[in-house]
Amino acid sequence: MTQFFQGIDKASFEGPDSNNPMAFHHYNPNEMLMGKRMEEHLRFAVAYWHSFAWEGGDPFGGQTFERPWHPQDNMERARIKADVAFEMFELLGVPYFCWHDADIRPETGHFDTNRSTLDEITDYFGEKMQSTGTKLLWGTANMFTHRRWMSGASTNPDPDVFAFAAATVKSCLDATHKLSGENYVLWGGREGYETLLNTNMGLELDHMGRFLSMVVDYKHKIGFKGQILVEPKPQEPSKHQYDYDAATCFGFLQKYGLEKDIKLNLEQGHAILAGHSFEHEIATAASLGVLGSIDMNRNDYQSGWDTDQFPNNVPEVALAYYHILKNGGLGSGGTNFDAKLRRQSLDPKDLIAAHIGGMDVCARGLKAAAKMLEDGGLEEALKERYAGWETPKAQEMLNSDLASIAKSVTDNKISPRPVSGQQEILENYVNRFV
Ligand code: XLS
Ligand code: NI
Ligand code: NI
């Protein structure tokens, strides 16, 4: 045991009436919802980058956290960081974690040493995963922090960077496979542009499509059974990112013939940056057959940045899980807390409390979502609203043509009568559950 979380006990479920801030009030892993344990619905993961690699900086100031593994420039400290990370996974009882290569090993500046240190630390993870039972939800490559990635990874004008990116993703996919990761994520941090004045967009998109095809081919080559996911985000750090939102990603995947092989990892804050709600992104992905996994967080609606805060809005989260449950759950995906502390939250206790709070908010949202689905009020209202389409006449129309439809409008004197959308009634209904 390290000293880092000294004095903090394993968090347990004490119910809504407990006033213990370090206990779960709603997250009860074994509680059954719609025939499945809560833990299996939510499949929580801790994000290594925010909880352990991030040092507390913002655009106006540097490091505020002083952790025993800072500065993160050698393997000894990478191991200390891993020791603390796995202690936290156990204190929280989270089943999964996620990493970028750059979060878990030092940046050495060279591919070969980046790969060998990645191999070394992931071997160390392997032992810890075995002894603690923690699993890997997904691995990913950080291809946006180091200056080599400043003009993109697979979309870089320099073929050497494309090559470095291919080698890097190969090493991360190998490590994810070795650790039996259940997914592999590609978030296109700098796959986009700052100005069209220096950007050949068509060429960059073709390169990104080719790159993703190579990733899918390699996955099959090594027998990796996990799901490949891309993560939409409209901007930040690039002024414009190619993976703008769920719909844009689907169009891209379809153009390059990848829509059967790649699904989406949707993030709450990214949905908001794209001008959507989280449930919009989830429903879009589900209706296109590419709902994969979620990154749970929230943005500060006032600042307009990707502030990556822990979720705290139950009604929002409830609607997100409503669409997830309605669409049969997340499959091999899960709920990854892509969320970080505020930079003044210095204490180890803050890190634990942040996750406990996030897990409780998700649990409350999930419970509300399950109740709404079981009650069936929203589904009933939907069925009624679209009931007209169940008639044979309406179905026949879909196989007909404009001229015949026009004729039937005249023959049958069709004159639509508007009916209420009942939005307020439905909003009031949701309010009963959240
Ligand atoms: C950044 C992204 C990132 C991905 C993984 O905004 O959310 O954290 O989830 O590269
Ligand atoms: Ni993000
Ligand atoms: Ni994310």
Side-chain angles (χ1 to χ4, degrees):
M1 279 299 275
T2 69
Q3 302 293 300
F4 192 72
F5 291 118
Q6 210 181 16
I8 301 177
D9 296 328
K10 188 168 163 49
S12 56
F13 173 71
E14 293 186 6
D17 298 332
S18 158
N19 58 10
N20 176 0
M22 303 305 277
F24 293 114
H25 298 88
H26 302 278
Y27 180 60
N28 182 9
N30 291 322
E31 186 174 327
M32 297 297 287
L33 294 162
M34 300 179 69
K36 208 155 95 177
R37 290 172 59 245
M38 191 186 270
E39 181 178 26
E40 289 163 33
H41 278 289
L42 293 164
R43 297 167 58 83
F44 284 132
V46 167
Y48 215 93
W49 51 103
H50 286 314
S51 291
F52 304 106
W54 184 59
E55 298 179 349
D58 72 8
F60 303 92
Q63 179 173 2
T64 56
F65 300 156
E66 289 174 338
R67 307 298 199 211
W69 55 91
H70 290 157
Q72 304 174 66
D73 57 1
N74 68 38
M75 284 304 285
E76 195 195 321
R77 285 194 284 265
R79 249 175 257 117
I80 297 174
K81 185 162 51 166
D83 292 342
V84 171
F86 277 83
E87 279 168 21
M88 186 170 96
F89 306 154
E90 288 212 278
L91 286 176
L92 292 169
V94 282
Y96 292 99
F97 73 118
C98 302
W99 48 255
H100 299 83
D101 51 353
D103 311 327
I104 60 180
R105 52 108 181 102
E107 170 60 54
T108 66
H110 304 282
F111 174 70
D112 283 340
T113 37
N114 276 356
R115 192 200 43 208
S116 58
T117 47
L118 178 72
D119 289 347
E120 194 184 321
I121 196 72
T122 47
D123 282 344
Y124 192 56
F125 280 4
E127 292 163 23
K128 290 184 164 290
M129 288 166 68
Q130 200 140 41
S131 61
T132 60
T134 312
K135 294 171 284 182
L136 179 63
L137 187 64
W138 46 266
T140 187
N142 175 328
M143 300 197 292
F144 44 89
T145 299
H146 191 276
R147 66 194 288 273
R148 77 175 71 87
W149 310 119
M150 70 177 190
S151 311
S154 70
T155 62
N156 202 290
D158 179 356
D160 282 354
V161 179
F162 184 101
F164 207 105
T168 300
V169 169
K170 177 189 176 296
S171 67
C172 290
L173 206 47
D174 286 339
T176 302
H177 184 40
K178 176 178 75 184
L179 298 177
S180 308
E182 299 187 21
N183 306 269
Y184 183 85
V185 165
L186 295 114
W187 167 59
R190 294 188 196 273
E191 308 290 39
Y193 61 83
E194 294 304 312
T195 171
L196 277 177
L197 295 175
N198 66 12
T199 302
N200 184 339
M201 191 194 284
L203 182 113
E204 293 199 359
L205 287 169
D206 283 350
H207 288 179
M208 193 161 102
R210 187 67 199 107
F211 189 89
L212 289 177
S213 302
M214 290 184 197
V215 172
V216 170
D217 289 347
Y218 187 68
K219 156 190 153 153
H220 293 307
K221 187 169 173 224
I222 61 174
F224 176 64
K225 296 277 176 289
Q227 176 66 48
I228 304 288
L229 301 165
V230 296
E231 182 175 327
K233 185 176 183 182
Q235 76 262 349
E236 246 185 63
S238 304
K239 173 184 158 46
H240 185 108
Q241 292 186 192
Y242 295 137
D243 289 339
Y244 193 94
D245 60 2
T248 310
C249 282
F250 183 75
F252 172 87
L253 292 174
Q254 209 172 32
K255 168 160 184 188
Y256 295 97
L258 293 164
E259 76 278 13
K260 300 259 181 309
D261 295 297
I262 298 184
K263 290 185 173 173
L264 305 182
N265 181 39
L266 301 166
E267 178 164 322
Q268 206 275 359
H270 298 183
I272 305 301
L273 282 182
H276 302 308
S277 64
F278 198 18
E279 67 267 24
H280 167 90
E281 286 294 83
I282 292 168
T284 302
S287 68
L288 295 168
V290 289
L291 175 61
S293 196
I294 58 169
D295 271 6
M296 184 53 91
N297 57 21
R298 90 187 133 103
N299 283 358
D300 184 318
Y301 289 110
Q302 188 190 337
S303 76
W305 295 355
D306 188 17
T307 55
D308 286 340
Q309 291 170 249
F310 281 86
N312 73 350
N313 186 322
V314 175
E316 268 179 12
V317 169
L319 289 178
Y321 281 115
Y322 183 81
H323 285 277
I324 289 170
L325 288 179
K326 183 175 151 173
N327 288 290
L330 290 169
S332 71
T335 303
N336 170 45
F337 286 111
D338 198 345
K340 59 179 184 257
L341 293 171
R342 298 305 87 194
R343 69 197 292 269
Q344 300 173 56
S345 304
L346 302 179
D347 299 341
K349 193 175 166 181
D350 294 321
L351 200 48
I352 301 285
H355 283 89
I356 289 179
M359 290 162 81
D360 262 349
V361 167
C362 291
R364 274 183 76 179
L366 178 79
K367 281 193 279 189
K371 273 202 192 120
M372 281 194 281
L373 262 182
E374 275 166 352
D375 183 77
L378 291 177
E379 293 312 296
E380 226 169 85
L382 265 192
K383 200 169 163 18
E384 203 181 306
R385 189 158 190 238
Y386 292 88
W389 284 102
E390 279 167 24
T391 63
K393 218 170 84 198
Q395 287 302 312
E396 270 161 34
M397 178 167 70
L398 293 176
N399 295 317
S400 169
D401 57 80
L402 288 191
S404 329
I405 297 172
K407 185 172 180 301
S408 91
V409 169
T410 307
D411 291 353
N412 301 312
K413 296 192 174 43
I414 288 178
S415 172
R417 243 170 301 151
V419 293
S420 170
Q422 303 188 334
Q423 182 167 339
E424 295 77 9
I425 291 173
L426 296 171
E427 285 168 348
N428 297 351
Y429 171 85
V430 171
N431 203 33
R432 279 174 37 209
F433 294 86
V434 297

